[in-house]
mmCIF file of all heavy atoms in Angstrom:
data_model
loop_
_atom_site.group_PDB
_atom_site.id
_atom_site.type_symbol
_atom_site.label_atom_id
_atom_site.label_comp_id
_atom_site.label_asym_id
_atom_site.label_seq_id
_atom_site.Cartn_x
_atom_site.Cartn_y
_atom_site.Cartn_z
ATOM 1 N N ARG Y 1407 46.869 20.040 -27.173
ATOM 2 C CA ARG Y 1407 47.513 20.891 -26.133
ATOM 3 C C ARG Y 1407 46.817 22.201 -25.974
ATOM 4 O O ARG Y 1407 46.584 22.645 -24.863
ATOM 5 C CB ARG Y 1407 48.980 21.049 -26.538
ATOM 6 C CG ARG Y 1407 49.815 21.851 -25.535
ATOM 7 C CD ARG Y 1407 51.221 22.043 -26.070
ATOM 8 N NE ARG Y 1407 52.058 22.747 -25.120
ATOM 9 C CZ ARG Y 1407 52.062 24.071 -24.922
ATOM 10 N NH1 ARG Y 1407 51.239 24.828 -25.624
ATOM 11 N NH2 ARG Y 1407 52.869 24.610 -24.040
ATOM 12 N N ALA Y 1408 46.466 22.816 -27.124
ATOM 13 C CA ALA Y 1408 45.843 24.177 -27.062
ATOM 14 C C ALA Y 1408 44.437 24.089 -26.395
ATOM 15 O O ALA Y 1408 44.094 24.918 -25.574
ATOM 16 C CB ALA Y 1408 45.725 24.732 -28.464
ATOM 17 N N LEU Y 1409 43.643 23.096 -26.786
ATOM 18 C CA LEU Y 1409 42.323 22.923 -26.197
ATOM 19 C C LEU Y 1409 42.407 22.665 -24.691
ATOM 20 O O LEU Y 1409 41.632 23.236 -23.874
ATOM 21 C CB LEU Y 1409 41.565 21.798 -26.881
ATOM 22 C CG LEU Y 1409 40.201 21.417 -26.269
ATOM 23 C CD1 LEU Y 1409 39.240 22.605 -26.263
ATOM 24 C CD2 LEU Y 1409 39.570 20.225 -27.000
ATOM 25 N N PHE Y 1410 43.360 21.771 -24.317
ATOM 26 C CA PHE Y 1410 43.487 21.458 -22.887
ATOM 27 C C PHE Y 1410 43.892 22.669 -22.083
ATOM 28 O O PHE Y 1410 43.298 22.955 -21.024
ATOM 29 C CB PHE Y 1410 44.535 20.369 -22.703
ATOM 30 C CG PHE Y 1410 44.781 20.009 -21.261
ATOM 31 C CD1 PHE Y 1410 43.902 19.174 -20.605
ATOM 32 C CD2 PHE Y 1410 45.860 20.510 -20.580
ATOM 33 C CE1 PHE Y 1410 44.114 18.830 -19.273
ATOM 34 C CE2 PHE Y 1410 46.069 20.201 -19.236
ATOM 35 C CZ PHE Y 1410 45.184 19.360 -18.610
ATOM 36 N N ALA Y 1411 44.884 23.442 -22.565
ATOM 37 C CA ALA Y 1411 45.349 24.622 -21.825
ATOM 38 C C ALA Y 1411 44.232 25.657 -21.690
ATOM 39 O O ALA Y 1411 44.075 26.252 -20.610
ATOM 40 C CB ALA Y 1411 46.545 25.229 -22.548
ATOM 41 N N ARG Y 1412 43.460 25.841 -22.746
ATOM 42 C CA ARG Y 1412 42.391 26.839 -22.705
ATOM 43 C C ARG Y 1412 41.295 26.379 -21.706
ATOM 44 O O ARG Y 1412 40.818 27.190 -20.917
ATOM 45 C CB ARG Y 1412 41.806 27.029 -24.105
ATOM 46 C CG ARG Y 1412 40.695 28.099 -24.158
ATOM 47 C CD ARG Y 1412 40.350 28.454 -25.589
ATOM 48 N NE ARG Y 1412 39.802 27.287 -26.322
ATOM 49 C CZ ARG Y 1412 40.476 26.658 -27.290
ATOM 50 N NH1 ARG Y 1412 41.703 27.020 -27.633
ATOM 51 N NH2 ARG Y 1412 39.908 25.623 -27.917
ATOM 52 N N ARG Y 1413 40.906 25.107 -21.829
ATOM 53 C CA ARG Y 1413 39.866 24.604 -20.945
ATOM 54 C C ARG Y 1413 40.310 24.634 -19.459
ATOM 55 O O ARG Y 1413 39.526 24.991 -18.567
ATOM 56 C CB ARG Y 1413 39.554 23.169 -21.337
ATOM 57 C CG ARG Y 1413 38.525 22.446 -20.468
ATOM 58 C CD ARG Y 1413 37.140 22.961 -20.690
ATOM 59 N NE ARG Y 1413 36.148 22.193 -19.928
ATOM 60 C CZ ARG Y 1413 34.900 22.546 -19.817
ATOM 61 N NH1 ARG Y 1413 34.452 23.642 -20.434
ATOM 62 N NH2 ARG Y 1413 34.038 21.817 -19.113
ATOM 63 N N PHE Y 1414 41.543 24.241 -19.240
ATOM 64 C CA PHE Y 1414 42.097 24.263 -17.876
ATOM 65 C C PHE Y 1414 42.062 25.658 -17.262
ATOM 66 O O PHE Y 1414 41.588 25.840 -16.134
ATOM 67 C CB PHE Y 1414 43.530 23.707 -17.907
ATOM 68 C CG PHE Y 1414 44.037 23.328 -16.554
ATOM 69 C CD1 PHE Y 1414 44.088 22.006 -16.168
ATOM 70 C CD2 PHE Y 1414 44.465 24.285 -15.631
ATOM 71 C CE1 PHE Y 1414 44.589 21.619 -14.932
ATOM 72 C CE2 PHE Y 1414 44.918 23.913 -14.373
ATOM 73 C CZ PHE Y 1414 44.995 22.557 -14.041
ATOM 74 N N THR Y 1415 42.525 26.623 -17.990
ATOM 75 C CA THR Y 1415 42.592 27.996 -17.470
ATOM 76 C C THR Y 1415 41.211 28.543 -17.214
ATOM 77 O O THR Y 1415 40.955 29.243 -16.231
ATOM 78 C CB THR Y 1415 43.333 28.905 -18.457
ATOM 79 O OG1 THR Y 1415 44.651 28.369 -18.684
ATOM 80 C CG2 THR Y 1415 43.471 30.313 -17.914
ATOM 81 N N GLU Y 1416 40.224 28.222 -18.085
ATOM 82 C CA GLU Y 1416 38.866 28.720 -17.919
ATOM 83 C C GLU Y 1416 38.218 28.148 -16.662
ATOM 84 O O GLU Y 1416 37.576 28.864 -15.907
ATOM 85 C CB GLU Y 1416 38.022 28.337 -19.142
ATOM 86 C CG GLU Y 1416 38.348 29.132 -20.415
ATOM 87 C CD GLU Y 1416 37.609 28.597 -21.614
ATOM 88 O OE1 GLU Y 1416 36.915 27.546 -21.483
ATOM 89 O OE2 GLU Y 1416 37.682 29.213 -22.688
ATOM 90 N N LEU Y 1417 38.414 26.854 -16.446
ATOM 91 C CA LEU Y 1417 37.725 26.189 -15.333
ATOM 92 C C LEU Y 1417 38.506 26.315 -14.013
ATOM 93 O O LEU Y 1417 37.922 26.524 -12.954
ATOM 94 C CB LEU Y 1417 37.493 24.711 -15.638
ATOM 95 C CG LEU Y 1417 36.662 23.908 -14.623
ATOM 96 C CD1 LEU Y 1417 35.287 24.532 -14.492
ATOM 97 C CD2 LEU Y 1417 36.555 22.466 -15.059
ATOM 98 N N MET Y 1418 39.817 26.235 -14.072
ATOM 99 C CA MET Y 1418 40.613 26.203 -12.846
ATOM 100 C C MET Y 1418 41.107 27.571 -12.413
ATOM 101 O O MET Y 1418 41.609 27.722 -11.294
ATOM 102 C CB MET Y 1418 41.827 25.258 -13.027
ATOM 103 C CG MET Y 1418 41.436 23.833 -13.424
ATOM 104 S SD MET Y 1418 40.631 22.928 -12.117
ATOM 105 C CE MET Y 1418 42.005 22.549 -11.067
ATOM 106 N N GLY Y 1419 41.027 28.551 -13.279
ATOM 107 C CA GLY Y 1419 41.401 29.898 -12.919
ATOM 108 C C GLY Y 1419 42.868 30.189 -13.019
ATOM 109 O O GLY Y 1419 43.326 31.283 -12.653
ATOM 110 N N ARG Y 1420 43.693 29.258 -13.468
ATOM 111 C CA ARG Y 1420 45.139 29.523 -13.721
ATOM 112 C C ARG Y 1420 45.588 28.440 -14.719
ATOM 113 O O ARG Y 1420 44.944 27.396 -14.875
ATOM 114 C CB ARG Y 1420 45.945 29.458 -12.454
ATOM 115 C CG ARG Y 1420 45.917 28.163 -11.679
ATOM 116 C CD ARG Y 1420 44.951 28.292 -10.574
ATOM 117 N NE ARG Y 1420 45.195 27.403 -9.441
ATOM 118 C CZ ARG Y 1420 44.149 26.886 -8.773
ATOM 119 N NH1 ARG Y 1420 42.915 27.105 -9.147
ATOM 120 N NH2 ARG Y 1420 44.394 26.110 -7.706
ATOM 121 N N PRO Y 1421 46.743 28.678 -15.353
ATOM 122 C CA PRO Y 1421 47.254 27.768 -16.354
ATOM 123 C C PRO Y 1421 47.634 26.426 -15.700
ATOM 124 O O PRO Y 1421 47.864 26.323 -14.498
ATOM 125 C CB PRO Y 1421 48.461 28.467 -16.932
ATOM 126 C CG PRO Y 1421 48.269 29.921 -16.575
ATOM 127 C CD PRO Y 1421 47.532 29.935 -15.256
ATOM 128 N N PRO Y 1422 47.758 25.367 -16.516
ATOM 129 C CA PRO Y 1422 48.051 24.040 -15.980
ATOM 130 C C PRO Y 1422 49.342 23.993 -15.147
ATOM 131 O O PRO Y 1422 49.344 23.407 -14.051
ATOM 132 C CB PRO Y 1422 48.152 23.152 -17.227
ATOM 133 C CG PRO Y 1422 47.324 23.845 -18.268
ATOM 134 C CD PRO Y 1422 47.472 25.313 -17.986
ATOM 135 N N LEU Y 1423 50.444 24.540 -15.686
ATOM 136 C CA LEU Y 1423 51.695 24.417 -14.967
ATOM 137 C C LEU Y 1423 51.691 25.228 -13.654
ATOM 138 O O LEU Y 1423 52.340 24.880 -12.697
ATOM 139 C CB LEU Y 1423 52.857 24.849 -15.862
ATOM 140 C CG LEU Y 1423 53.047 23.929 -17.092
ATOM 141 C CD1 LEU Y 1423 54.316 24.390 -17.843
ATOM 142 C CD2 LEU Y 1423 53.160 22.484 -16.706
ATOM 143 N N ALA Y 1424 50.923 26.302 -13.652
ATOM 144 C CA ALA Y 1424 50.787 27.092 -12.389
ATOM 145 C C ALA Y 1424 50.063 26.254 -11.330
ATOM 146 O O ALA Y 1424 50.466 26.271 -10.152
ATOM 147 C CB ALA Y 1424 50.038 28.392 -12.652
ATOM 148 N N TYR Y 1425 49.055 25.523 -11.735
ATOM 149 C CA TYR Y 1425 48.338 24.647 -10.798
ATOM 150 C C TYR Y 1425 49.250 23.542 -10.294
ATOM 151 O O TYR Y 1425 49.286 23.236 -9.111
ATOM 152 C CB TYR Y 1425 47.100 24.056 -11.488
ATOM 153 C CG TYR Y 1425 46.407 22.994 -10.656
ATOM 154 C CD1 TYR Y 1425 45.518 23.371 -9.659
ATOM 155 C CD2 TYR Y 1425 46.631 21.623 -10.871
ATOM 156 C CE1 TYR Y 1425 44.852 22.413 -8.891
ATOM 157 C CE2 TYR Y 1425 45.985 20.677 -10.085
ATOM 158 C CZ TYR Y 1425 45.099 21.068 -9.095
ATOM 159 O OH TYR Y 1425 44.477 20.130 -8.305
ATOM 160 N N LEU Y 1426 49.994 22.903 -11.195
ATOM 161 C CA LEU Y 1426 50.916 21.837 -10.794
ATOM 162 C C LEU Y 1426 51.937 22.344 -9.799
ATOM 163 O O LEU Y 1426 52.225 21.711 -8.782
ATOM 164 C CB LEU Y 1426 51.637 21.272 -12.037
ATOM 165 C CG LEU Y 1426 51.033 20.041 -12.704
ATOM 166 C CD1 LEU Y 1426 49.585 20.342 -13.171
ATOM 167 C CD2 LEU Y 1426 51.874 19.546 -13.842
#
Side-chain angles (χ1 to χ4, degrees):
R1407 182 182 183 281
L1409 173 59
F1410 179 80
R1412 183 168 62 252
R1413 177 73 175 171
F1414 195 102
T1415 302
E1416 288 173 353
L1417 187 59
M1418 304 291 284
R1420 60 262 205 215
L1423 296 185
Y1425 173 81
L1426 265 60

